[in-house]
mmCIF file of all heavy atoms in Angstrom:
data_model
loop_
_atom_site.group_PDB
_atom_site.id
_atom_site.type_symbol
_atom_site.label_atom_id
_atom_site.label_comp_id
_atom_site.label_asym_id
_atom_site.label_seq_id
_atom_site.Cartn_x
_atom_site.Cartn_y
_atom_site.Cartn_z
ATOM 1 N N MET L 1 -5.774 -3.355 -13.293
ATOM 2 C CA MET L 1 -4.650 -3.896 -12.549
ATOM 3 C C MET L 1 -5.219 -4.728 -11.408
ATOM 4 O O MET L 1 -6.144 -4.299 -10.724
ATOM 5 C CB MET L 1 -3.793 -2.749 -12.020
ATOM 6 C CG MET L 1 -2.624 -3.204 -11.194
ATOM 7 S SD MET L 1 -1.576 -1.892 -10.515
ATOM 8 C CE MET L 1 -1.201 -0.930 -11.937
ATOM 9 N N THR L 2 -4.654 -5.871 -11.210
ATOM 10 C CA THR L 2 -5.123 -6.730 -10.124
ATOM 11 C C THR L 2 -4.553 -6.252 -8.784
ATOM 12 O O THR L 2 -3.543 -5.520 -8.743
ATOM 13 C CB THR L 2 -4.685 -8.192 -10.342
ATOM 14 O OG1 THR L 2 -3.261 -8.265 -10.243
ATOM 15 C CG2 THR L 2 -5.166 -8.727 -11.677
ATOM 16 N N ALA L 3 -5.189 -6.670 -7.707
ATOM 17 C CA ALA L 3 -4.708 -6.323 -6.364
ATOM 18 C C ALA L 3 -3.314 -6.888 -6.126
ATOM 19 O O ALA L 3 -2.463 -6.237 -5.514
ATOM 20 C CB ALA L 3 -5.682 -6.836 -5.305
ATOM 21 N N ASP L 4 -3.063 -8.088 -6.625
ATOM 22 C CA ASP L 4 -1.737 -8.698 -6.456
ATOM 23 C C ASP L 4 -0.659 -7.881 -7.161
ATOM 24 O O ASP L 4 0.420 -7.658 -6.617
ATOM 25 C CB ASP L 4 -1.722 -10.133 -6.978
ATOM 26 C CG ASP L 4 -2.510 -11.089 -6.104
ATOM 27 O OD1 ASP L 4 -2.704 -10.795 -4.908
ATOM 28 O OD2 ASP L 4 -2.921 -12.147 -6.623
ATOM 29 N N ARG L 5 -0.964 -7.433 -8.379
ATOM 30 C CA ARG L 5 0.019 -6.640 -9.134
ATOM 31 C C ARG L 5 0.274 -5.308 -8.442
ATOM 32 O O ARG L 5 1.425 -4.856 -8.355
ATOM 33 C CB ARG L 5 -0.472 -6.412 -10.572
ATOM 34 C CG ARG L 5 0.477 -5.612 -11.407
ATOM 35 C CD ARG L 5 1.799 -6.342 -11.640
ATOM 36 N NE ARG L 5 2.659 -5.541 -12.483
ATOM 37 C CZ ARG L 5 3.959 -5.414 -12.302
ATOM 38 N NH1 ARG L 5 4.562 -6.084 -11.340
ATOM 39 N NH2 ARG L 5 4.678 -4.660 -13.088
ATOM 40 N N LEU L 6 -0.784 -4.662 -7.961
ATOM 41 C CA LEU L 6 -0.609 -3.407 -7.230
ATOM 42 C C LEU L 6 0.266 -3.625 -6.012
ATOM 43 O O LEU L 6 1.173 -2.836 -5.738
ATOM 44 C CB LEU L 6 -1.963 -2.833 -6.820
ATOM 45 C CG LEU L 6 -1.926 -1.561 -5.990
ATOM 46 C CD1 LEU L 6 -1.198 -0.445 -6.725
ATOM 47 C CD2 LEU L 6 -3.335 -1.135 -5.621
ATOM 48 N N GLY L 7 0.048 -4.705 -5.284
ATOM 49 C CA GLY L 7 0.879 -5.022 -4.128
ATOM 50 C C GLY L 7 2.333 -5.213 -4.504
ATOM 51 O O GLY L 7 3.234 -4.735 -3.812
ATOM 52 N N GLU L 8 2.575 -5.896 -5.611
ATOM 53 C CA GLU L 8 3.952 -6.092 -6.089
ATOM 54 C C GLU L 8 4.620 -4.753 -6.365
ATOM 55 O O GLU L 8 5.773 -4.526 -5.974
ATOM 56 C CB GLU L 8 3.958 -6.921 -7.368
ATOM 57 C CG GLU L 8 3.596 -8.374 -7.190
ATOM 58 C CD GLU L 8 3.428 -9.088 -8.525
ATOM 59 O OE1 GLU L 8 3.742 -8.497 -9.576
ATOM 60 O OE2 GLU L 8 2.969 -10.250 -8.506
ATOM 61 N N LEU L 9 3.904 -3.877 -7.048
ATOM 62 C CA LEU L 9 4.474 -2.567 -7.387
ATOM 63 C C LEU L 9 4.723 -1.720 -6.148
ATOM 64 O O LEU L 9 5.753 -1.052 -6.036
ATOM 65 C CB LEU L 9 3.554 -1.833 -8.358
ATOM 66 C CG LEU L 9 3.447 -2.449 -9.754
ATOM 67 C CD1 LEU L 9 2.350 -1.756 -10.552
ATOM 68 C CD2 LEU L 9 4.775 -2.394 -10.475
ATOM 69 N N LEU L 10 3.788 -1.738 -5.215
ATOM 70 C CA LEU L 10 3.971 -0.959 -3.987
ATOM 71 C C LEU L 10 5.164 -1.471 -3.185
ATOM 72 O O LEU L 10 5.968 -0.683 -2.685
ATOM 73 C CB LEU L 10 2.698 -0.997 -3.134
ATOM 74 C CG LEU L 10 1.548 -0.145 -3.652
ATOM 75 C CD1 LEU L 10 0.268 -0.467 -2.885
ATOM 76 C CD2 LEU L 10 1.868 1.329 -3.555
ATOM 77 N N ARG L 11 5.293 -2.782 -3.062
ATOM 78 C CA ARG L 11 6.445 -3.333 -2.327
ATOM 79 C C ARG L 11 7.748 -2.996 -3.034
ATOM 80 O O ARG L 11 8.745 -2.641 -2.400
ATOM 81 C CB ARG L 11 6.280 -4.836 -2.142
ATOM 82 C CG ARG L 11 5.265 -5.185 -1.065
ATOM 83 C CD ARG L 11 5.256 -6.681 -0.751
ATOM 84 N NE ARG L 11 4.866 -7.480 -1.908
ATOM 85 C CZ ARG L 11 3.610 -7.691 -2.300
ATOM 86 N NH1 ARG L 11 2.614 -7.153 -1.635
ATOM 87 N NH2 ARG L 11 3.352 -8.440 -3.358
ATOM 88 N N ALA L 12 7.765 -3.067 -4.360
ATOM 89 C CA ALA L 12 8.970 -2.744 -5.126
ATOM 90 C C ALA L 12 9.363 -1.279 -4.957
ATOM 91 O O ALA L 12 10.543 -0.935 -5.002
ATOM 92 C CB ALA L 12 8.760 -3.058 -6.604
ATOM 93 N N ALA L 13 8.370 -0.425 -4.730
ATOM 94 C CA ALA L 13 8.643 1.004 -4.545
ATOM 95 C C ALA L 13 8.925 1.351 -3.088
ATOM 96 O O ALA L 13 9.139 2.508 -2.755
ATOM 97 C CB ALA L 13 7.455 1.829 -5.047
ATOM 98 N N GLY L 14 8.921 0.354 -2.209
ATOM 99 C CA GLY L 14 9.292 0.596 -0.821
ATOM 100 C C GLY L 14 8.154 0.723 0.159
ATOM 101 O O GLY L 14 8.363 1.132 1.297
ATOM 102 N N ALA L 15 6.933 0.363 -0.224
ATOM 103 C CA ALA L 15 5.802 0.504 0.696
ATOM 104 C C ALA L 15 5.800 -0.563 1.779
ATOM 105 O O ALA L 15 5.079 -0.449 2.748
ATOM 106 C CB ALA L 15 4.478 0.456 -0.073
ATOM 107 N N GLY L 16 6.619 -1.590 1.646
ATOM 108 C CA GLY L 16 6.672 -2.632 2.655
ATOM 109 C C GLY L 16 5.509 -3.597 2.544
ATOM 110 O O GLY L 16 4.749 -3.577 1.578
ATOM 111 N N ALA L 17 5.341 -4.423 3.539
ATOM 112 C CA ALA L 17 4.282 -5.429 3.545
ATOM 113 C C ALA L 17 2.967 -4.820 4.029
ATOM 114 O O ALA L 17 2.947 -3.733 4.596
ATOM 115 C CB ALA L 17 4.690 -6.584 4.451
ATOM 116 N N THR L 18 1.885 -5.546 3.821
ATOM 117 C CA THR L 18 0.604 -5.076 4.320
ATOM 118 C C THR L 18 0.556 -5.211 5.830
ATOM 119 O O THR L 18 1.266 -6.016 6.430
ATOM 120 C CB THR L 18 -0.570 -5.869 3.711
ATOM 121 O OG1 THR L 18 -0.424 -7.241 4.018
ATOM 122 C CG2 THR L 18 -0.658 -5.668 2.212
ATOM 123 N N VAL L 19 -0.274 -4.403 6.436
ATOM 124 C CA VAL L 19 -0.503 -4.428 7.877
ATOM 125 C C VAL L 19 -1.999 -4.425 8.105
ATOM 126 O O VAL L 19 -2.782 -4.173 7.197
ATOM 127 C CB VAL L 19 0.146 -3.211 8.571
ATOM 128 C CG1 VAL L 19 1.652 -3.237 8.433
ATOM 129 C CG2 VAL L 19 -0.408 -1.907 8.024
ATOM 130 N N LYS L 20 -2.436 -4.697 9.329
ATOM 131 C CA LYS L 20 -3.852 -4.614 9.665
ATOM 132 C C LYS L 20 -4.219 -3.146 9.823
ATOM 133 O O LYS L 20 -3.601 -2.426 10.597
ATOM 134 C CB LYS L 20 -4.160 -5.357 10.968
ATOM 135 C CG LYS L 20 -3.985 -6.853 10.874
ATOM 136 C CD LYS L 20 -5.061 -7.471 10.034
ATOM 137 C CE LYS L 20 -4.925 -8.981 10.031
ATOM 138 N NZ LYS L 20 -5.830 -9.611 9.106
ATOM 139 N N VAL L 21 -5.196 -2.693 9.064
ATOM 140 C CA VAL L 21 -5.678 -1.319 9.157
ATOM 141 C C VAL L 21 -7.186 -1.348 9.389
ATOM 142 O O VAL L 21 -7.851 -2.330 9.075
ATOM 143 C CB VAL L 21 -5.355 -0.485 7.885
ATOM 144 C CG1 VAL L 21 -3.861 -0.314 7.723
ATOM 145 C CG2 VAL L 21 -5.951 -1.124 6.649
ATOM 146 N N THR L 22 -7.727 -0.274 9.942
ATOM 147 C CA THR L 22 -9.155 -0.181 10.194
ATOM 148 C C THR L 22 -9.778 0.766 9.179
ATOM 149 O O THR L 22 -9.344 1.910 9.040
ATOM 150 C CB THR L 22 -9.434 0.328 11.617
ATOM 151 O OG1 THR L 22 -8.817 -0.572 12.549
ATOM 152 C CG2 THR L 22 -10.921 0.388 11.894
ATOM 153 N N ILE L 23 -10.761 0.269 8.459
ATOM 154 C CA ILE L 23 -11.496 1.066 7.483
ATOM 155 C C ILE L 23 -12.978 0.924 7.806
ATOM 156 O O ILE L 23 -13.531 -0.177 7.732
ATOM 157 C CB ILE L 23 -11.223 0.594 6.040
ATOM 158 C CG1 ILE L 23 -9.737 0.741 5.713
ATOM 159 C CG2 ILE L 23 -12.093 1.368 5.051
ATOM 160 C CD1 ILE L 23 -9.348 0.192 4.369
ATOM 161 N N GLU L 24 -13.605 2.034 8.179
ATOM 162 C CA GLU L 24 -15.031 2.046 8.496
ATOM 163 C C GLU L 24 -15.412 0.924 9.454
ATOM 164 O O GLU L 24 -16.347 0.173 9.218
ATOM 165 C CB GLU L 24 -15.852 1.979 7.216
ATOM 166 C CG GLU L 24 -15.634 3.164 6.306
ATOM 167 C CD GLU L 24 -16.400 3.065 5.000
ATOM 168 O OE1 GLU L 24 -17.198 2.125 4.824
ATOM 169 O OE2 GLU L 24 -16.192 3.943 4.148
ATOM 170 N N GLY L 25 -14.649 0.792 10.536
ATOM 171 C CA GLY L 25 -14.958 -0.187 11.565
ATOM 172 C C GLY L 25 -14.536 -1.609 11.265
ATOM 173 O O GLY L 25 -14.757 -2.502 12.068
ATOM 174 N N ARG L 26 -13.937 -1.853 10.105
ATOM 175 C CA ARG L 26 -13.470 -3.197 9.755
ATOM 176 C C ARG L 26 -11.958 -3.218 9.777
ATOM 177 O O ARG L 26 -11.316 -2.274 9.369
ATOM 178 C CB ARG L 26 -13.939 -3.596 8.348
ATOM 179 C CG ARG L 26 -15.423 -3.643 8.179
ATOM 180 C CD ARG L 26 -15.812 -4.063 6.765
ATOM 181 N NE ARG L 26 -15.238 -3.160 5.776
ATOM 182 C CZ ARG L 26 -14.664 -3.537 4.631
ATOM 183 N NH1 ARG L 26 -14.591 -4.795 4.310
ATOM 184 N NH2 ARG L 26 -14.178 -2.642 3.788
ATOM 185 N N ARG L 27 -11.412 -4.331 10.241
ATOM 186 C CA ARG L 27 -9.959 -4.513 10.189
ATOM 187 C C ARG L 27 -9.634 -5.346 8.971
ATOM 188 O O ARG L 27 -10.133 -6.444 8.801
ATOM 189 C CB ARG L 27 -9.449 -5.174 11.458
ATOM 190 C CG ARG L 27 -9.477 -4.225 12.637
ATOM 191 C CD ARG L 27 -8.873 -4.821 13.890
ATOM 192 N NE ARG L 27 -7.544 -5.354 13.716
ATOM 193 C CZ ARG L 27 -6.402 -4.685 13.891
ATOM 194 N NH1 ARG L 27 -6.444 -3.434 14.253
ATOM 195 N NH2 ARG L 27 -5.241 -5.266 13.739
ATOM 196 N N VAL L 28 -8.796 -4.793 8.102
ATOM 197 C CA VAL L 28 -8.440 -5.464 6.853
ATOM 198 C C VAL L 28 -6.937 -5.337 6.630
ATOM 199 O O VAL L 28 -6.266 -4.528 7.274
ATOM 200 C CB VAL L 28 -9.192 -4.856 5.651
ATOM 201 C CG1 VAL L 28 -10.697 -5.063 5.795
ATOM 202 C CG2 VAL L 28 -8.872 -3.389 5.495
ATOM 203 N N ASN L 29 -6.411 -6.112 5.708
ATOM 204 C CA ASN L 29 -5.014 -5.968 5.310
ATOM 205 C C ASN L 29 -4.912 -4.777 4.370
ATOM 206 O O ASN L 29 -5.749 -4.597 3.492
ATOM 207 C CB ASN L 29 -4.504 -7.210 4.595
ATOM 208 C CG ASN L 29 -4.307 -8.360 5.540
ATOM 209 O OD1 ASN L 29 -4.057 -8.177 6.714
ATOM 210 N ND2 ASN L 29 -4.451 -9.563 5.041
ATOM 211 N N GLY L 30 -3.914 -3.956 4.571
ATOM 212 C CA GLY L 30 -3.720 -2.804 3.702
ATOM 213 C C GLY L 30 -2.368 -2.169 3.964
ATOM 214 O O GLY L 30 -1.536 -2.706 4.678
ATOM 215 N N TYR L 31 -2.172 -1.023 3.355
ATOM 216 C CA TYR L 31 -0.922 -0.284 3.503
ATOM 217 C C TYR L 31 -1.180 0.989 4.288
ATOM 218 O O TYR L 31 -2.242 1.591 4.185
ATOM 219 C CB TYR L 31 -0.351 0.091 2.121
ATOM 220 C CG TYR L 31 0.079 -1.103 1.326
ATOM 221 C CD1 TYR L 31 -0.787 -1.716 0.430
ATOM 222 C CD2 TYR L 31 1.353 -1.630 1.482
ATOM 223 C CE1 TYR L 31 -0.386 -2.821 -0.300
ATOM 224 C CE2 TYR L 31 1.757 -2.738 0.755
ATOM 225 C CZ TYR L 31 0.879 -3.330 -0.122
ATOM 226 O OH TYR L 31 1.271 -4.421 -0.837
ATOM 227 N N ARG L 32 -0.199 1.406 5.063
ATOM 228 C CA ARG L 32 -0.310 2.686 5.756
ATOM 229 C C ARG L 32 -0.212 3.813 4.750
ATOM 230 O O ARG L 32 0.526 3.724 3.758
ATOM 231 C CB ARG L 32 0.793 2.805 6.795
ATOM 232 C CG ARG L 32 0.585 1.883 7.968
ATOM 233 C CD ARG L 32 1.554 2.224 9.097
ATOM 234 N NE ARG L 32 1.262 1.432 10.257
ATOM 235 C CZ ARG L 32 1.916 0.313 10.578
ATOM 236 N NH1 ARG L 32 2.911 -0.110 9.838
ATOM 237 N NH2 ARG L 32 1.581 -0.368 11.645
ATOM 238 N N ARG L 33 -0.949 4.878 4.980
ATOM 239 C CA ARG L 33 -0.990 6.008 4.053
ATOM 240 C C ARG L 33 0.400 6.569 3.784
ATOM 241 O O ARG L 33 0.757 6.859 2.641
ATOM 242 C CB ARG L 33 -1.914 7.092 4.607
ATOM 243 C CG ARG L 33 -2.018 8.276 3.692
ATOM 244 C CD ARG L 33 -2.924 9.327 4.268
ATOM 245 N NE ARG L 33 -2.982 10.453 3.387
ATOM 246 C CZ ARG L 33 -4.057 11.151 3.151
ATOM 247 N NH1 ARG L 33 -5.179 10.847 3.747
ATOM 248 N NH2 ARG L 33 -4.027 12.164 2.322
ATOM 249 N N GLY L 34 1.192 6.736 4.829
ATOM 250 C CA GLY L 34 2.539 7.277 4.664
ATOM 251 C C GLY L 34 3.406 6.400 3.769
ATOM 252 O O GLY L 34 4.200 6.906 2.980
ATOM 253 N N ASP L 35 3.243 5.084 3.879
ATOM 254 C CA ASP L 35 4.003 4.166 3.032
ATOM 255 C C ASP L 35 3.600 4.317 1.565
ATOM 256 O O ASP L 35 4.439 4.310 0.669
ATOM 257 C CB ASP L 35 3.794 2.723 3.475
ATOM 258 C CG ASP L 35 4.419 2.419 4.828
ATOM 259 O OD1 ASP L 35 5.304 3.200 5.263
ATOM 260 O OD2 ASP L 35 4.037 1.414 5.442
ATOM 261 N N VAL L 36 2.285 4.463 1.326
ATOM 262 C CA VAL L 36 1.808 4.627 -0.049
ATOM 263 C C VAL L 36 2.267 5.967 -0.609
ATOM 264 O O VAL L 36 2.712 6.061 -1.752
ATOM 265 C CB VAL L 36 0.272 4.496 -0.125
ATOM 266 C CG1 VAL L 36 -0.247 4.838 -1.506
ATOM 267 C CG2 VAL L 36 -0.151 3.087 0.276
ATOM 268 N N GLU L 37 2.208 7.031 0.206
ATOM 269 C CA GLU L 37 2.670 8.347 -0.248
ATOM 270 C C GLU L 37 4.148 8.307 -0.608
ATOM 271 O O GLU L 37 4.566 8.868 -1.622
ATOM 272 C CB GLU L 37 2.407 9.403 0.821
ATOM 273 C CG GLU L 37 0.940 9.743 0.969
ATOM 274 C CD GLU L 37 0.645 10.667 2.144
ATOM 275 O OE1 GLU L 37 1.499 10.799 3.055
ATOM 276 O OE2 GLU L 37 -0.446 11.246 2.145
ATOM 277 N N ALA L 38 4.957 7.635 0.220
ATOM 278 C CA ALA L 38 6.386 7.530 -0.062
ATOM 279 C C ALA L 38 6.626 6.741 -1.352
ATOM 280 O O ALA L 38 7.489 7.105 -2.153
ATOM 281 C CB ALA L 38 7.104 6.865 1.115
ATOM 282 N N ALA L 39 5.852 5.684 -1.563
ATOM 283 C CA ALA L 39 6.004 4.899 -2.787
ATOM 284 C C ALA L 39 5.618 5.728 -4.008
ATOM 285 O O ALA L 39 6.294 5.675 -5.039
ATOM 286 C CB ALA L 39 5.141 3.635 -2.711
ATOM 287 N N LEU L 40 4.566 6.525 -3.905
ATOM 288 C CA LEU L 40 4.157 7.381 -5.021
ATOM 289 C C LEU L 40 5.221 8.422 -5.346
ATOM 290 O O LEU L 40 5.510 8.688 -6.510
ATOM 291 C CB LEU L 40 2.824 8.065 -4.711
ATOM 292 C CG LEU L 40 1.604 7.163 -4.753
ATOM 293 C CD1 LEU L 40 0.376 7.910 -4.236
ATOM 294 C CD2 LEU L 40 1.360 6.654 -6.155
ATOM 295 N N LYS L 41 5.835 9.009 -4.302
ATOM 296 C CA LYS L 41 6.914 9.961 -4.525
ATOM 297 C C LYS L 41 8.072 9.288 -5.238
ATOM 298 O O LYS L 41 8.665 9.843 -6.163
ATOM 299 C CB LYS L 41 7.376 10.573 -3.213
ATOM 300 C CG LYS L 41 6.418 11.585 -2.641
ATOM 301 C CD LYS L 41 6.951 12.136 -1.341
ATOM 302 C CE LYS L 41 5.947 13.080 -0.709
ATOM 303 N NZ LYS L 41 6.394 13.552 0.593
ATOM 304 N N TYR L 42 8.401 8.076 -4.804
ATOM 305 C CA TYR L 42 9.488 7.335 -5.432
ATOM 306 C C TYR L 42 9.178 7.067 -6.907
ATOM 307 O O TYR L 42 10.019 7.266 -7.781
ATOM 308 C CB TYR L 42 9.710 6.024 -4.675
ATOM 309 C CG TYR L 42 10.640 5.077 -5.364
ATOM 310 C CD1 TYR L 42 12.010 5.229 -5.278
ATOM 311 C CD2 TYR L 42 10.141 4.013 -6.115
ATOM 312 C CE1 TYR L 42 12.874 4.366 -5.924
ATOM 313 C CE2 TYR L 42 10.996 3.136 -6.764
ATOM 314 C CZ TYR L 42 12.360 3.323 -6.666
ATOM 315 O OH TYR L 42 13.210 2.444 -7.304
ATOM 316 N N LEU L 43 7.957 6.622 -7.181
ATOM 317 C CA LEU L 43 7.571 6.279 -8.545
ATOM 318 C C LEU L 43 7.512 7.506 -9.454
ATOM 319 O O LEU L 43 7.735 7.406 -10.653
ATOM 320 C CB LEU L 43 6.228 5.564 -8.563
ATOM 321 C CG LEU L 43 6.234 4.151 -7.971
ATOM 322 C CD1 LEU L 43 4.826 3.611 -7.850
ATOM 323 C CD2 LEU L 43 7.107 3.224 -8.808
ATOM 324 N N SER L 44 7.229 8.682 -8.864
ATOM 325 C CA SER L 44 7.151 9.891 -9.677
ATOM 326 C C SER L 44 8.500 10.590 -9.796
ATOM 327 O O SER L 44 8.612 11.649 -10.429
ATOM 328 C CB SER L 44 6.113 10.859 -9.109
ATOM 329 O OG SER L 44 6.530 11.346 -7.840
ATOM 330 N N GLY L 45 9.531 10.011 -9.184
ATOM 331 C CA GLY L 45 10.877 10.556 -9.312
ATOM 332 C C GLY L 45 11.220 11.657 -8.321
ATOM 333 O O GLY L 45 12.235 12.321 -8.461
ATOM 334 N N ALA L 46 10.409 11.834 -7.310
ATOM 335 C CA ALA L 46 10.667 12.869 -6.306
ATOM 336 C C ALA L 46 11.706 12.453 -5.298
ATOM 337 O O ALA L 46 12.011 11.344 -5.116
ATOM 338 C CB ALA L 46 9.383 13.250 -5.593
#
């Protein structure tokens, strides 16, 4: 799965847009953990 497709699916499931996050001292575009967890719950039917 491409990064673009994953982003499409996450946004469709309610994860919202990417934000600046810090990973190992680097600031990158990504999703907040809570947003991804909520999207996973939605996708699994919870």
